[in-house]
Amino acid sequence: MNFVRLLPVFISFLLLSAHFLRAGQIVLACIPLVLPFLLIMKESWVPRVIQAALLLGAIEWLHTLYVVAQMRIEFGMPWTRMAIILGVVALYTALSSLVFRGKVLRNRYGL
């Protein structure tokens, strides 16, 4: 049942990994794939590391939004739909870090 509670975290990390892979950054693409394995351990520091990684991921999405929007504006291409999509992905990634506020996961990790 904890898998279902942690599903937003897994999805966020998969999206981040795909983002880095598309950019050709193989090493950075592996990090989000490895981080969820930390969730196997029942240590109190694990959720903090995962939350920090998710918040850094959200910042990466916002940075990508800015860079791509600037590029599209410069070339006179439409950019609002892309900005909405990347903004929602950034928000989803940031909100995924809140799964550890639930009672079951707080108890599991001793928070």
Side-chain angles (χ1 to χ4, degrees), residues 7-17 32 54 61 92-94 96:
L7 197 56
V9 173
F10 298 135
I11 292 170
S12 294
F13 281 137
L14 279 175
L15 288 172
L16 277 168
S17 182
L54 287 168
W61 284 118
Y92 180 82
T93 302
S96 295

Side-chain angles (χ1 to χ4, degrees), residues 46-85:
V46 170
R48 301 300 174 224
V49 170
I50 297 296
Q51 287 173 325
L54 287 168
L55 292 177
L56 285 173
I59 291 169
E60 171 60 26
W61 284 118
L62 292 174
H63 175 260
T64 302
L65 185 156
Y66 176 77
V67 169
V68 174
Q70 289 299 322
M71 192 172 21
R72 292 180 74 96
I73 289 169
E74 185 176 318
F75 290 122
M77 299 169 66
W79 59 274
T80 52
R81 182 177 54 179
M82 176 276 311
I84 291 169
I85 292 168

Side-chain angles (χ1 to χ4, degrees), residues 10 13-18 20-21 26-38:
F10 298 135
F13 281 137
L14 279 175
L15 288 172
L16 277 168
S17 182
F20 289 128
L21 190 62
I26 305 298
V27 174
L28 287 178
C30 291
I31 294 171
L33 291 177
V34 172
L35 280 173
F37 288 105
L38 289 175

